[in-house]
Amino acid sequence: MGNKEVDAFMSEGPNKVDFTTSDLAAERREAFEDLFPGVLADGVLDASRLGELLDTPVAQTADTRERFGLMWAGKQEAVRSLLKSSRGALVPDLENSIEFDTAQNVFIEGDNLEVLKLLQKAYNDKVKLIYIDPPYNTGNDFVYNDDFSDGLRGYLEYSGQLDDEGKLTSTNAETSGRRHSKWLSMLYPRLVLARNLLSQDGVIFISIDDHEMTNLSLLLREVFGEENFATVLVWQKKKKPSFLHKNVGSITEYVLCFLRNKEMTFPFSIDVTTAGKKYPFNNAGNSLSTLTFPAGYVKFGRASATYEPQDMSEGNIVTRLLDKVVVREGVNVDSFKLEGEWRYSQSKLDEIVAAGDPITISKAPFRPNHVKVGGEVKKMHNFLAPATYGIGTNEDGSAELERVLGASVFDNPKPTSLISTLVKAVTYNDPDALVLDFFAGSGTTGHAVALLNAEDGGRRRVISVNIPEPTAEDSAASEAGYKNVSEITLARLGWVATNVDGATDQGLRVFNLCQSGFRAHATTEGELDLSEATLVDKEPFMENIAAEVLLKEGVSLDARWERLSVGGDDAIAADGVVVVVSLDITDEVVNDALTLKPRVLVFLEDGFAGNDAVKANAFTRARNTGITMKTV
């Protein structure tokens, strides 16, 4: 290759793998500009122009002091934490994984804020159900310390109770909100990121008790929108009430439920009736209306008959046939109209016809019935208890965990029956759904989903995330050998993968949150600086490099891995992306990699050091064959 060709390549060249997490603010600005062109000019929002386009008054500065909404000290810091990009990576833990290359269930050890950021590209709009059981903020269960964690001084600064010199502006310092503020600041960015991951018909359930139930409800309304509030479920957590409260005995907790898009969700149900149940159209007491039944659709009790227009009312049932009906081969030849007090509207009748459910009329006088072929979805109610849906209590959850791990190593674990009921209620029509729990605790969600799959033959997958919170030195968990809570989670999920029917086939992929294996300068778009290595380690682990690149390319963590050899070097392929882990890329390596025909082919930048001609040739050949080549 001549110098001119190399120069041309250097000016164009392959794309870089983008190692930055999603810039939520930039994405929202872009979407906003698409909806309202001209409202953002030179990076400044023209509120007056926006008000004109929406035909809505714009609040003036004086009006902004008193508004309905949830505010707390440190909220802006929480927003900044949300917008800050992550430079972390999810590194495979092959030792603790079960059939890593083909596993579909995932466990991630690490702070869930960073993990949620890393999941954005691969899982946006893909998670059907999220269940979390976050810290209840009771004063002794709070371990998430983000950059914006506010001690007393920080809280006083946020709430305007300290001047520039650090002196109190009031003799009565208000500190009671400090704990609430810290808790809200912890949850806010995580919930925003979680919402992005939910599919349009997705649902989030969050367990909570009285301490933060009100604040959490307001926070969820801000993140998901008031219109996407679904319900508050009441769960009986104890068989006998606890009388620790000064005034009443406590026996219940709550599960708050919000939707990604209310218009896209289905009724929650854990009980679908058998097919073939009849539902009459008539409903005495409704206002009179006329329905048009389509030709050739209604099944009659006689093979052939003719009915003239007539009043078919009888007793308190009003029915008037407005057209002549001719029946041949058991169905009506032409469309006809019936007037009556109907439980169904014309649009509902049209939906029944579109769904193919039969409509029958056995004889005269006409009393049409709708036969629900697919069975009826019966909506669940909002009280979750042993007496209603057979849902267990905390005592049952503790007994389950002790049976699995041989000791009571976790305080008040949720029973699998609670989580499996919630999952079934949302995924009864989607048995391959993806479930996420980023406060995984003892691993109840993964266990519950496996049991539900075994019950109904589903293939639901679970991503569980837990922080390595140290166990107390004198605790049962520590005495049992668990140094941190995530070890408990992993032990239970490992037990599930080897003991629950069907779970073995789905395996378990384990990842640990670590720093990126690439230096920061490698992510700069258009930069082609070969003077310094892009890799942090001179001899990196193949799986670590591949896992980081694949996730950044939008490949899901449960995509099947295929281990390959290209020109004698290692490569890993998943979901159409091939990552070549070679520090000495030759033409032979390039040739073998191109024969795989991936949609995206990724090489290590360090592998091309001093070989611009090989790199340029690889890029040209990839482009000519329709393969996107990238370097990292």
Side-chain angles (χ1 to χ4, degrees):
M1 177 177 288
N3 291 335
K4 290 184 178 180
E5 292 172 295
V6 173
D7 290 342
F9 162 74
M10 297 292 282
S11 64
E12 185 178 355
N15 294 327
K16 293 281 189 178
V17 174
D18 185 4
F19 269 61
T20 58
T21 50
S22 301
D23 186 340
L24 298 179
E27 292 174 1
R28 291 169 179 171
R29 285 195 301 270
E30 183 178 351
F32 186 82
E33 287 176 313
D34 287 340
L35 287 173
F36 306 107
V39 173
L40 279 173
D42 296 327
V44 177
L45 175 65
D46 187 339
S48 298
R49 174 63 176 155
L50 179 62
E52 292 172 1
L53 292 175
L54 296 177
D55 191 23
T56 303
V58 176
Q60 302 302 313
T61 303
D63 297 331
T64 61
R65 295 183 180 180
E66 296 182 352
R67 289 206 170 283
F68 181 80
L70 180 62
M71 294 298 298
W72 67 90
K75 184 175 184 179
Q76 289 305 311
E77 290 294 330
V79 172
R80 282 192 284 272
S81 177
L82 165 67
L83 300 178
K84 182 180 178 182
S85 294
S86 171
R87 280 284 300 161
L90 300 183
V91 173
D93 180 350
L94 300 180
E95 181 181 351
N96 288 307
S97 296
I98 300 173
E99 301 295 334
F100 182 92
D101 289 359
T102 58
Q104 295 177 298
N105 289 321
V106 174
F107 172 64
I108 304 170
E109 181 185 82
D111 181 81
N112 52 22
L113 179 60
E114 293 299 300
V115 172
L116 288 169
K117 290 180 180 180
L118 293 173
L119 297 182
Q120 293 298 301
K121 185 177 293 184
Y123 289 96
N124 184 271
D125 274 351
K126 292 183 179 179
V127 178
K128 182 63 174 284
L129 183 146
I130 295 174
Y131 170 81
I132 58 172
D133 184 14
Y136 283 7
N137 203 19
T138 57
N140 57 3
D141 58 2
F142 196 86
V143 297
Y144 290 82
N145 293 310
D146 299 325
D147 292 340
F148 51 81
S149 60
D150 54 342
L152 177 58
R153 180 184 177 86
Y155 178 75
L156 294 174
E157 289 174 346
Y158 292 144
S159 55
Q161 297 179 77
L162 287 181
D163 61 20
D164 293 338
E165 297 179 357
K167 297 179 179 180
L168 286 172
T169 58
S170 169
T171 55
N172 296 315
E174 189 278 301
T175 61
S176 62
R178 174 163 55 101
R179 184 160 56 88
H180 296 295
S181 293
K182 184 177 179 180
W183 188 81
L184 289 168
S185 289
M186 180 275 292
L187 269 186
Y188 175 76
R190 290 165 170 84
L191 291 176
V192 173
L193 294 167
R195 179 186 177 277
N196 293 342
L197 300 180
L198 280 176
S199 59
Q200 290 301 308
D201 61 348
V203 179
I204 185 170
F205 292 105
I206 305 180
S207 285
I208 199 68
D209 70 357
D210 304 83
H211 288 86
E212 293 289 1
M213 195 273 196
T214 302
N215 289 331
L216 178 59
S217 179
L218 290 172
L219 182 62
L220 287 166
R221 280 169 166 79
E222 177 168 326
V223 173
F224 286 84
E226 180 78 32
E227 70 279 6
N228 288 315
F229 166 71
T231 188
V232 178
L233 301 170
V234 180
W235 169 56
Q236 182 181 331
K237 67 175 181 178
K238 297 178 70 67
K239 293 181 172 66
K240 296 181 180 180
S242 168
F243 291 97
L244 296 177
H245 192 283
K246 179 180 178 181
N247 305 110
V248 297
S250 176
I251 199 171
T252 61
E253 286 184 2
Y254 311 101
V255 181
L256 290 177
C257 177
F258 277 74
L259 314 172
R260 174 69 188 269
N261 184 339
K262 193 170 188 176
E263 300 302 318
M264 300 291 289
T265 54
F266 297 92
F268 299 165
S269 175
I270 59 172
D271 184 14
V272 179
T273 62
T274 57
K277 186 175 181 179
K278 290 184 178 181
Y279 295 89
F281 275 66
N282 298 91
N283 189 25
N286 282 357
S287 58
L288 283 172
S289 62
T290 300
L291 295 179
T292 300
F293 293 81
Y297 196 83
V298 180
K299 296 180 180 181
F300 283 79
R302 299 175 62 181
S304 61
T306 299
Y307 301 94
E308 298 294 335
Q310 58 185 289
D311 189 341
M312 293 183 166
S313 302
E314 191 175 80
N316 63 345
I317 298 177
V318 178
T319 309
R320 298 186 183 98
L321 175 61
L322 304 182
D323 299 310
K324 181 179 179 179
V325 176
V326 177
V327 178
R328 291 179 186 166
E329 297 182 358
V331 297
N332 54 306
V333 174
D334 303 307
S335 64
F336 64 92
K337 296 183 179 65
L338 277 178
E339 183 183 41
E341 299 172 317
W342 308 119
R343 69 169 66 241
Y344 294 144
S345 64
Q346 184 66 49
S347 61
K348 179 61 177 179
L349 169 58
D350 295 340
E351 287 181 16
I352 292 170
V353 173
D357 287 352
I359 296 174
T360 62
I361 294 178
S362 59
K363 60 183 179 179
F366 289 178
R367 300 292 182 263
N369 288 292
H370 161 219
V371 182
K372 185 69 174 176
V373 171
E376 181 195 17
V377 175
K378 298 178 68 174
K379 292 181 183 178
M380 67 184 297
H381 55 68
N382 69 341
F383 186 51
L384 310 177
T388 54
Y389 293 119
I391 295 174
T393 62
N394 274 332
E395 294 98 326
D396 298 310
S398 296
E400 282 181 314
L401 186 60
E402 188 168 355
R403 284 195 297 271
V404 169
L405 300 183
S408 180
V409 295
F410 195 91
D411 292 337
N412 300 317
K414 297 295 187 290
T416 55
S417 54
L418 171 64
I419 314 302
S420 62
T421 298
L422 300 177
V423 175
K424 184 176 182 178
V426 174
T427 67
Y428 59 88
N429 58 356
D430 187 7
D432 297 326
L434 177 61
V435 178
L436 169 64
D437 182 351
F438 53 90
F439 284 98
S442 69
T444 305
T445 299
H447 192 174
V449 171
L451 292 174
L452 180 58
N453 283 341
E455 175 187 318
D456 66 8
R459 298 286 296 178
R460 300 169 186 86
R461 296 153 293 140
V462 183
I463 300 175
S464 304
V465 185
N466 208 16
I467 193 171
E469 173 192 356
T471 56
E473 291 185 3
D474 57 348
S475 65
S478 179
E479 292 176 359
Y482 296 105
K483 297 178 182 179
N484 57 61
V485 177
S486 58
E487 291 182 359
I488 297 173
T489 319
L490 179 57
R492 184 176 193 175
L493 295 179
W495 182 92
V496 168
T498 55
N499 288 276
V500 176
D501 290 343
T504 304
D505 296 336
Q506 290 187 299
L508 181 65
R509 285 191 180 184
V510 181
F511 294 88
N512 296 318
L513 176 65
C514 299
Q515 291 297 314
S516 172
F518 298 89
R519 299 183 190 277
H521 76 271
T523 65
T524 306
E525 292 189 12
E527 184 176 327
L528 207 62
D529 180 10
L530 303 182
S531 61
E532 184 181 353
T534 59
L535 291 166
V536 173
D537 296 324
K538 293 182 179 180
E539 296 182 3
F541 289 103
M542 175 183 66
E543 289 85 359
N544 295 7
I545 295 299
E548 184 172 2
V549 172
L550 289 170
L551 185 59
K552 295 299 172 60
E553 279 297 303
V555 176
S556 64
L557 295 174
D558 62 354
R560 178 185 292 267
W561 277 24
E562 185 178 1
R563 296 170 186 267
L564 306 166
S565 176
V566 290
D569 284 322
D570 294 320
I572 290 179
D575 194 23
V577 178
V578 170
V579 182
V580 179
V581 187
S582 172
L583 295 176
D584 184 17
I585 301 172
T586 62
D587 286 330
E588 183 182 2
V589 171
V590 172
N591 291 339
D592 283 1
L594 290 173
T595 60
L596 299 173
K597 297 181 179 180
R599 58 182 176 85
V600 178
L601 178 59
V602 182
F603 292 105
L604 298 180
E605 189 71 64
D606 289 2
F608 286 119
N611 287 317
D612 289 345
V614 174
K615 183 178 180 181
N617 179 56
F619 172 69
T620 302
R621 292 184 58 196
R623 181 178 59 184
N624 291 341
T625 54
I627 297 173
T628 299
M629 173 181 156
K630 295 185 178 183
T631 61
V632 60

